[in-house]
């Protein structure tokens, strides 16, 4: 007969619960990393914040490195999706694009990623994973920037201009860790938008 078995019915909600638990762990890991840094972010601390057992956390992420690299990657992907969703509402508005890209580097996701970079500089088993993750995130962010800016990278200097924008945005994100520099950031965003209008045509 073509009915659905009890086991199959039970499996779907279990899969949904598992997905929700995983997402809560990832979000809690990013929040902990942003607030407490690497040293203060253990699997137990993250599990408690997510409202799940340590065993459930380790079922999803066997090691601390698995948890935190997955967390930063998850949120980086979420931010990329959110960034794309802002457009085409701002298509053709380079200042809006520059501002949105800068915002990528001034929130808790960037702060969490920065703690992960610092940890990776002294944690050998974390370094290769973080390096690979950052390369992938960097390529994706560059692709999104090119698309949103309508940049033609076949033209000389255009690729470097886009990369310079992303490097500048990262620098503003670093400055923002110590002090809220919103007023200066707005002036820099306006200037970069003007420079890009000139460089990209």
């Amino acid at each position: 007969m073509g009915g659905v078995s009890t086991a199959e019915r039970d499996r779907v909600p279990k899969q949904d619960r598992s997905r929700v638990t995983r997402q809560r762990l990832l979000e809690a890991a990013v929040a902990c990393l942003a607030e407490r840094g690497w040293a203060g972010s253990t699997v137990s601390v993250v599990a408690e914040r997510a409202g799940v057992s340590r065993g459930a956390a380790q079922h999803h992420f066997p090691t601390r490195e698995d948890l935190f690299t997955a967390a930063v990657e998850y949120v980086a992907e979420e931010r990329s999706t959110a960034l794309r969703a802002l457009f085409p509402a701002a298509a053709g508005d380079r200042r809006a694009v520059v501002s949105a890209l800068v915002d990528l580097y001034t929130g808790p996701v960037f702060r969490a990623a920065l703690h992960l970079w610092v940890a990776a500089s002294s944690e050998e088993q974390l370094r290769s994973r973080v390096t690979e993750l950052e390369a992938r995130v960097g390529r994706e962010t560059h692709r999104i920037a090119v698309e949103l800016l309508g940049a033609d990278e076949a033209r000389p200097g255009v690729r470097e201009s886009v990369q310079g924008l992303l490097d500048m945005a990262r620098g503003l994100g670093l400055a923002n860790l110590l002090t809220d520099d919103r007023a200066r950031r707005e002036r820099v965003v306006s200037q970069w938008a003007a420079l890009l209008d000139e460089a990209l045509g």
Side-chain angles (χ1 to χ4, degrees), residues 183-194:
R184 187 176 72 90
R185 194 162 67 242
E186 288 300 314
R187 291 195 301 273
V188 172
V189 164
S190 294
Q191 180 62 19
W192 261 92

Side-chain angles (χ1 to χ4, degrees), residues 33-200:
L33 204 54
E35 292 166 14
R36 298 167 173 247
W38 177 255
S41 297
T42 63
V43 173
S44 296
V45 166
V46 172
E48 184 179 338
R49 183 172 186 139
V52 303
S53 70
R54 191 174 195 282
Q58 288 186 305
H59 168 75
H60 287 279
F61 304 102
T63 70
R64 186 181 184 203
E65 291 77 16
D66 289 334
L67 173 60
F68 287 104
T69 52
V72 173
E73 182 171 25
Y74 162 75
V75 183
E77 287 170 2
E78 290 288 298
R79 293 302 295 271
S80 292
T81 301
L83 187 62
R84 286 185 187 280
L86 292 174
F87 302 92
D93 183 349
R94 287 209 171 115
R95 193 190 183 292
V97 174
V98 172
S99 186
L101 289 166
V102 166
D103 285 347
L104 279 178
Y105 294 98
T106 53
V109 176
F110 179 70
R111 188 180 294 264
L114 191 61
H115 283 298
L116 201 59
W117 298 347
V118 171
S121 69
S122 58
E123 301 267 345
E124 191 60 45
Q125 64 202 66
L126 194 56
R127 189 178 307 152
S128 63
R129 299 176 71 169
V130 172
T131 302
E132 179 192 329
L133 169 63
E134 285 304 319
R136 200 161 68 245
V137 169
R139 284 192 301 271
E140 175 64 6
T141 305
H142 187 96
R143 258 197 310 276
I144 290 171
V146 167
E147 179 186 321
L148 297 181
L149 290 165
D152 177 5
E153 290 195 300
R155 293 178 50 202
V158 168
R159 180 172 180 75
E160 292 75 15
S161 294
V162 173
Q163 195 56 56
L165 163 64
L166 296 175
D167 290 342
M168 177 277 299
R170 193 176 296 114
L172 289 176
L174 285 169
N176 195 61
L177 291 174
L178 297 176
T179 180
D180 184 348
D181 210 10
R182 194 171 291 119
R184 187 176 72 90
R185 194 162 67 242
E186 288 300 314
R187 291 195 301 273
V188 172
V189 164
S190 294
Q191 180 62 19
W192 261 92
L195 290 169
L196 285 170
D197 275 339
E198 193 175 314
L200 304 181

